[in-house]
Amino acid sequence: MTITPPALSVFETLESEVRSYCRSWPAVFDRAQGSYMYDEDGHTYLDFFAGAGALNYGHNNPVLKRALIDYIERDGVTHGLDMGTTAKRAFLESFQNTILRPRDLPYKVMFPGPTGANAVEAALKLARKVKGRESIVSFTNAFHGMSLGALAVTGNSMKRAGAGIPLVHGTPMPFDNYFEGRVPDFLWFERLLEDQGSGLNQPAAVIVETIQGEGGINVARAEWLRALADLCKRRDMLLIVDDIQMGCGRTGAFFSFEEAGITPDIVTLSKSISGYGLPMSLTLFKPELDIWEPGEHNGTFRGNNPAFVTSAAALDTYWADGQMEKQTIARGEQVEQALNAIVEEHPRLGGSARGRGLAWGLEFADKDRANKVAARAFELGLLIETSGPQSEVVKLLPPLTVTPEELDEGLRILARAVRETA
């Protein structure tokens, strides 16, 4: 289709230069439903971006929308800080009965604020408070947020540079397969912990993504995660799993760490926890870590009651049985087959596919290729973004509710975009 760039005058003259996604997708979007978005000129786009993983159940999911409208129409509480409300109680009961108890997870639930960065900041702050230490270990190519504490454990140099001050008390270690199997897992980490002359202060915690989304869809092996959990236990460090993008069913199971059979000390959730794209985040932790004083960590918008309503509806609708997990795994196999076919069709591009569930990446040896593919896909009516330190990976995050037919449509567009930019 032919897309005429819209008149973006008010965006260009009034909005900050910091905007980014709109530069890749020069359209003014007007409506969205399910797996599709529509711009004001009537063009249709299949969405394999899903709000950067905030829309696991699609745009304007009818079940969640109905629950939200009913709540608003009866004048339900919108803003409640951390006060007790019927909406919060319903969410907590659904989360406990549908998610925590069936998995035998003992976590306390904290509402730190509306964003993933809020959840990470609370996790780091609590870990330091519990252990009485400052240092946090993170991993190469990690992304944990744009606030100062979260940036200190983020790997991307461009994002870190925006801080404007030294980012301290964080130490990076190699993520799984960083040395492509040439170095035993955690050799460097263990050596630094053992060596009194290494200069590494005893860490309070280790923070990790089981799949690095912004880092390029780098998938940690289950055995690597188990070894990390064991290392943390042996060395008296708390294990924090950042499940902000890969949680809420993105990899199949509700939590991305379930496959590894580990129980982190602290877990952060955001993005799709509200189910509807409404701001909401959680910091979960084992009960013995709950040493907060009342009001020691708070925020005006940690009580987003409309988000509680849609979240409870999402949990009750999609997680009361095991069907969502099975469906996501099946859809993931469909994506994997299509991406491998693209790689086989273009051997000279040096491509490779990797992922789990419905989080997938297609990497190219030519670091500029992914941006060209994403741009052509947009022209053909598919929204996909890139990730990785050099934006070398095409990243696919379709809604978990995507149909097999919609997946086929989007994967055909992607294959065409690769072909036409080869």
Side-chain angles (χ1 to χ4, degrees), residues 56-57 99 103 210-211 243 245-259 318-319 321-333 355-360 398 400:
N56 280 4
Y57 310 103
I99 303 301
R103 292 161 179 79
T210 65
I211 300 176
D243 233 4
Q245 188 166 85
M246 296 301 162
C248 301
R250 174 56 56 182
T251 66
F254 187 84
F255 294 106
S256 70
F257 57 80
E258 291 183 53
E259 181 191 44
Y318 293 102
W319 294 98
D321 56 27
Q323 293 309 305
M324 175 58 76
E325 180 174 352
K326 294 176 182 177
Q327 175 178 298
T328 298
I329 292 171
R331 300 283 193 273
E333 292 171 353
R356 261 177 56 203
L358 279 174
W360 283 88
L400 306 187

Side-chain angles (χ1 to χ4, degrees), residues 25 27 36 42 79 94 112 153 175 212 237 241 257 276 281 330 358 361 371 373:
W25 302 326
Y36 292 93
H79 181 270
S94 290
V153 291
F175 191 70
Q212 296 180 326
M237 302 177 294
V241 167
F257 57 80
Y276 202 73
S281 75
L358 279 174
N371 280 320
V373 169

